Amino acid sequence: NAGVMQNPRHLVRRRGQEARLRCSPMKGHSHVYWYRQLPEEGLKFMVYLQKENIIDESGMPKERFSAEFPKEGPSILRIQQVVRGDSAAYFCASSESGENSPLHFGNGTRLTVT
Amino acid sequence: DQQVKQNSPSLSVQEGRISILNCDYTNSMFDYFLWYKKYPAEGPTFLISISSIKDKNEDGRFTVFLNKSAKHLSLHIVPSQPGDSAVYFCAASGNTGNQFYFGTGTSLTVIP
């Protein structure tokens, strides 16, 4: 399966713990995007990365959230000291190039904070 | 600030008829538009796109129309099939490609 792979599919964390979400883009794709979907809402942009670079993180909360896309390995979205409001579905997408190239999404990680 | 809007949260259509999903945007810098389909517990699946140099793009049963002066696009599905029942999102991006802005989705139900 050469699609966008996200893991884990489901993640349960207690308040104050850390959540690490992983995303492997489609083969040949060097652009990665993270989106969050809250219940009954649309997809909200969080961050756009290329290999080893954060291009646009304007949608990411300033505190507790960070993202990386290292030279080797998957992209990681990290949420420190999770709170109940972080409970959501987090989707990763990749594209071949940044311009006029569709995003291809993974199946998401559903984070539940108890 | 919702730059891409889907004002109809739901739509029901009889099998075999046409489904028309609508989307409005506010940013005149958007020049690339997409439609996605999403089933529960899955990620959005890319359906069809259109760039601002065109006003129509067709792929099988799916056609996207773009009206730049009205800042409006629509997705036509004909004939509609029960398997088309899903949530449909429209999305838009500007020439920097940094962000894709998504609407809140329209839930389509195709009645057999």
Side-chain angles (χ1 to χ4, degrees), chain B residues 18-109:
Chain B
I18 185 170
S19 295
I20 300 176
L21 298 102
N22 294 303
C23 180
D24 298 294
Y25 61 95
T26 57
N27 191 335
S28 58
M29 297 302 291
F30 289 153
D31 62 359
Y32 183 55
F33 305 89
L34 312 91
W35 283 96
Y36 286 82
K37 172 181 179 180
K38 185 180 182 304
Y39 294 119
E42 293 184 12
T45 301
F46 169 68
L47 276 177
I48 191 168
S49 64
I50 187 168
S51 72
S52 58
I53 61 173
K54 291 184 165 184
D55 55 17
K56 177 183 173 181
N57 189 24
E58 195 172 347
D59 184 1
R61 297 186 298 115
F62 301 92
T63 302
V64 56
F65 294 91
L66 175 62
N67 183 334
K68 289 186 289 293
S69 61
K71 294 191 181 71
H72 178 83
L73 68 155
S74 61
L75 175 68
H76 292 208
I77 307 173
V78 56
S80 301
Q81 299 173 354
D84 296 330
S85 297
V87 177
Y88 289 78
F89 291 96
C90 66
S93 74
N95 56 12
T96 61
N98 278 11
Q99 285 195 36
F100 288 74
Y101 294 86
F102 283 79
T104 51
T106 296
S107 178
L108 172 67
T109 302

